[in-house]
Each structure stands twice: as structure tokens, then as C-alpha cells.
Amino acid sequence: HGQTFEQVLLGESDAMLEQAEAALGKTLRNVWKRTRTEEPADMASMKQLLKRLPDVYRVHPEFDIAPSRIGGLEVAGFEALVHRAVAREKALTAPFSVHIHGDFNLDNVIFDASEGKIHFIDLHRSRFMDYVQDVSVFMVSNYRLQVHDAQTRRRVVQVAATMHALAAKFARAQNDKSFEYRLALGLARSFASSTRFVFDKSHARRMMVRARFVLEAALACPPGKENRLKLPIKELFRD
């Protein structure tokens, strides 16, 4: 019973959306706390992205560009940035694992308003992993909605910011200092790889630009200082 989170975001009142967000936050906190194990988790988001780039380029060949120069500035190709990030990610495994959904898109989250409960569907990829995997997928599945009226895009920012705040608070409580850096790599992966499902060229380009921005920000962070990275979440998700 209920509606998908996507249906709530697109068609229901602000009050119901806030109820759904609160119920989702409570559910995730409970799952993460109750299933936490001391086993480190390697999300390997950059390796995932490298595997998916050929599919991205088949849909959007314009994204497969060679390195270039602007005056004296060298601009690396996107794939070269991903390869550089693979090495950085190897040193930043999550300090613990939780049970994640594994395909945490908006339409796999059901909100039952009559009982105020959240249900998950399509759990075939559920496993123990870095919770940032689910967080980044959820945030970007929210952004990639191809509905562009001002009210919907405002709600997109709200949902993304709420999910980020929830995860960041959990990270602080668990002393997970590399959360934001791993999230940056997860968002870069999800923004870029999700463009293979987006046939609106303008919207796909906005997603790819965001993937590159987040990836460059992560790579510019000096090794050993990853815990200082702060993402401009509202600006990142605002059109």
C-alpha cells in the first residue's frame, strides 16, 4: 500500500513530502544502526563508473571528448579524471558496513501515508556495503527526474539536502570522517552513469557537468585531507 517516493515528490503536498522524508529518515537510521558491522566496505564507485561509461557514450557520444587546452590551461578528459580518482578511492574504504538496499531509486521506496511507514521494493541487490552507495543513488535519482517546473526543482533540492543532512549526521555519530569524500565520488558516479537513462540532452549535460565538478573538487583535495572536503549540496542540486 502507498505511493512511491517519486509520486509523493511530484504530486503530493509539501506536508506529505515532509512526512515521507521523516519516515524515510527514521527507517534508514534504524536499519543502519541495527545492521552495522565492523567489516570495512569498498564502494568502488569509480570502477563502477568506468564499466558504465561505454553505455553513457552510446547514448551521449558528445561526452566522450579528448583532453584539450584553453590557453595555458590543460583540461583533462572526463575518463582520465575517473582513472585518477580510482587510486584515491582505494585508500578510502568505509570504516564499517551496513545492510543497504542496493538500487535505492525513488521508485523503489514506498510511503504508506495511512500508517506513516516506509517500505522498500526490488531488493535483489541488497547486501552489506557502504551506506554512501544508497545515499548517492537516492540523491541523484531525485535530481534526474525530467520535470523542470520551478516547484518540482525546489522540492528536488529539498529532498537532496534532507538526505545529505541525515547521512552526514549519522556519519558524525559513527566517527566516519571520510563520508563527504566518498559521497563526492558516489555522486560523480551517479550523475555521470545516470545520463544513459536521460534522453533530454540539456538535462543530461547538466548532470555530466555536475559529475565533473564534483570529481574535480575531490581530486583537488590534498591526499590526507579528505575529511576537509565540503560539498555545496544545495547549489549542486539547484538548476
Side-chain angles (χ1 to χ4, degrees), residues 103-132:
D103 190 17
F104 205 44
N105 294 294
L106 296 183
D107 53 2
N108 285 336
V109 180
I110 308 293
F111 176 57
D112 184 350
S114 64
E115 296 189 7
K117 290 185 177 180
I118 289 288
H119 302 281
F120 298 146
I121 61 173
D122 288 347
L123 289 158
H124 58 287
R125 296 181 185 172
S126 184
R127 63 197 187 281
F128 279 89
M129 176 49 67
D130 185 352
Y131 62 104
V132 169

Side-chain angles (χ1 to χ4, degrees), residues 20-231:
E21 288 180 300
L24 179 59
K26 180 179 179 181
T27 300
L28 288 177
R29 284 192 297 271
N30 286 340
V31 170
W32 292 345
K33 289 178 181 178
R34 292 173 63 182
T35 65
R36 186 187 189 281
T37 74
E38 298 305 314
E39 186 71 23
D42 182 9
M43 183 168 61
S45 56
M46 295 295 96
K47 288 184 178 179
Q48 292 174 27
L49 179 52
L50 285 173
K51 291 179 180 179
R52 295 170 185 173
L53 278 179
D55 292 332
V56 169
Y57 295 153
R58 272 192 285 272
V59 179
H60 301 288
E62 68 275 14
F63 293 159
D64 186 10
I65 57 175
S68 58
R69 299 187 72 88
I70 302 175
L73 175 66
E74 182 176 340
V75 181
F78 182 77
E79 197 163 339
L81 295 177
V82 178
H83 279 288
R84 288 172 55 195
V86 168
R88 295 291 299 270
E89 191 173 35
K90 284 181 180 178
L92 288 171
T93 56
F96 56 87
S97 301
V98 302
H99 205 106
I100 68 165
H101 183 286
D103 190 17
F104 205 44
N105 294 294
L106 296 183
D107 53 2
N108 285 336
V109 180
I110 308 293
F111 176 57
D112 184 350
S114 64
E115 296 189 7
K117 290 185 177 180
I118 289 288
H119 302 281
F120 298 146
I121 61 173
D122 288 347
L123 289 158
H124 58 287
R125 296 181 185 172
S126 184
R127 63 197 187 281
F128 279 89
M129 176 49 67
D130 185 352
Y131 62 104
V132 169
Q133 170 79 20
D134 274 357
V135 172
S136 57
V137 168
F138 183 88
M139 291 173 72
V140 173
S141 75
N142 169 65
Y143 181 86
R144 83 177 187 209
L145 291 173
Q146 296 178 67
V147 183
H148 301 294
D149 63 277
Q151 180 182 7
T152 299
R153 301 320 293 183
R154 173 184 61 79
R155 296 176 113 195
V156 162
V157 177
Q158 173 192 323
V159 171
T162 300
M163 176 57 70
H164 175 262
L166 163 74
K169 183 176 181 179
F170 177 77
R172 289 192 296 271
Q174 303 297 319
N175 196 33
D176 181 3
K177 295 181 179 179
S178 65
F179 159 75
E180 195 90 353
Y181 197 91
R182 301 196 320 274
L183 179 64
L185 298 181
L187 290 175
R189 174 211 59 208
S190 294
F191 272 125
S193 64
S194 293
T195 60
R196 70 194 195 275
F197 305 124
V198 176
F199 299 99
D200 178 330
K201 291 292 186 180
S202 295
H203 195 44
R205 184 177 183 277
R206 286 191 289 270
M207 294 174 67
M208 199 65 175
V209 166
R210 282 162 171 75
R212 184 175 184 110
F213 169 81
V214 175
L215 199 51
E216 288 182 338
L219 290 172
C221 187
K225 305 292 184 182
E226 290 86 358
N227 62 325
R228 296 184 180 181
L229 181 68
K230 298 297 179 185
L231 297 173

